[in-house]
Amino acid sequence: MFKITLTSSMMMLSLTTSTAAMAEQKLHVISSFSILGDLVSQVGQEHITVTNLVKIDGDAHVFTPTPQDAKAISTAQLVVTNGLHFEGWMPRLIEAANYQGVHVIATNGIDVLSTKKEHEHHDDEHEHHDDEHEHHDDEHEHHDDEHEHHDDGHAHHDHGDIDPHAWHSIKNVKVYIHNIAKGLIQVDPANTDDYQKNAKDYIQKLDKLELKINAQLATVPETQRKVITPHDAFGYFARDFNVTFLAPQGTSTGSEASAADVAALIKQIRHDKVNAVFMENIADNRLIEQISRETGVKVGGKLYSDALSSPDQPAATYLKMMQYNVDTIVNALHK
């Protein structure tokens, strides 16, 4: 009796250990920043663990990697980044980690937005985006290699004439999801069906959100859809939803607005009768506060541009972030 009981106990222990080991065999995925990390989590779900290099409310523009980040990448099975020069520090970090695994550039295949036209014609920066950018896929088809020769080793970097904030277009995020699913399947083909189903389900949620956003913005006359943000992060949103965004800074928070730029912006705010200025969760908002004081335009709230919020705040996921931003903009423009 004792021998049978002992044998049974050993078998149960073996099964428990085996089950625990299987449960721990999740893919280790590195994401460059929190918004991307959420998208990866939505596709991978229970099959993966995600580590975001730039944490919630963090600014990837001025992020400085640590040796711990290189160590984390060295043990990852998949690395997912935005691309479009957004993470100027990433190429050297991957090199330092000697990472040889799969690297997904989430923006591969999107309709890339150039900022060159806005720099030349700031007064009507968003009026013709749909026509201006129809052919950018061909121009940027190799942007998975785009960082290789642009990293100068500094945290502050310039995005050139490319706007990297592509996640503010739901249409683009559908491409992100496709690329993420493809990368996960490449690394973990055994769970292909799950990744494909998760991606399909999430894209359906994006479709519903897109319809809702369009309906909400339709309640605001197009002539009133003009807002100010600290840095130029909402170009794709502007293009897709016909909202004009003006900003004292360029597409990187690492850039500085000149006194002439600020003066010109204040003049334009008064001329165009802009209704709202907004703070950002990642930005130094002192300049926005100054602009609000000088123009008399009230601060309409805080927008989430380049990072998600903590779970107890309103932008803990991509879907929540987009909905919160739209609610905040629409509420401010209705006042």
Side-chain angles (χ1 to χ4, degrees), residues 234-298:
F234 294 92
Y236 291 92
F237 189 102
R239 182 189 67 187
D240 287 5
F241 299 112
N242 199 18
V243 179
T244 296
F245 285 83
L246 304 172
Q249 287 180 298
T251 54
S252 173
T253 57
S255 64
E256 292 186 9
S258 68
D261 289 337
V262 175
L265 180 59
I266 289 173
K267 183 178 180 180
Q268 187 173 355
I269 290 170
R270 290 170 175 160
H271 180 270
D272 292 350
K273 297 181 180 179
V274 175
N275 295 358
V277 298
F278 293 93
M279 297 184 180
E280 290 179 36
N281 65 318
I282 66 158
D284 182 343
N285 292 296
R286 288 175 294 181
L287 187 53
I288 285 295
E289 292 169 345
Q290 174 193 337
I291 291 171
S292 175
R293 288 192 303 270
E294 294 192 23
T295 60
V297 179
K298 293 183 179 180

Side-chain angles (χ1 to χ4, degrees), residues 1-14:
M1 187 68 172
F2 174 75
K3 290 181 179 180
I4 293 174
T5 303
L6 182 61
T7 302
S8 299
S9 298
M10 291 177 66
M11 288 178 64
M12 289 179 65
L13 179 61
S14 176

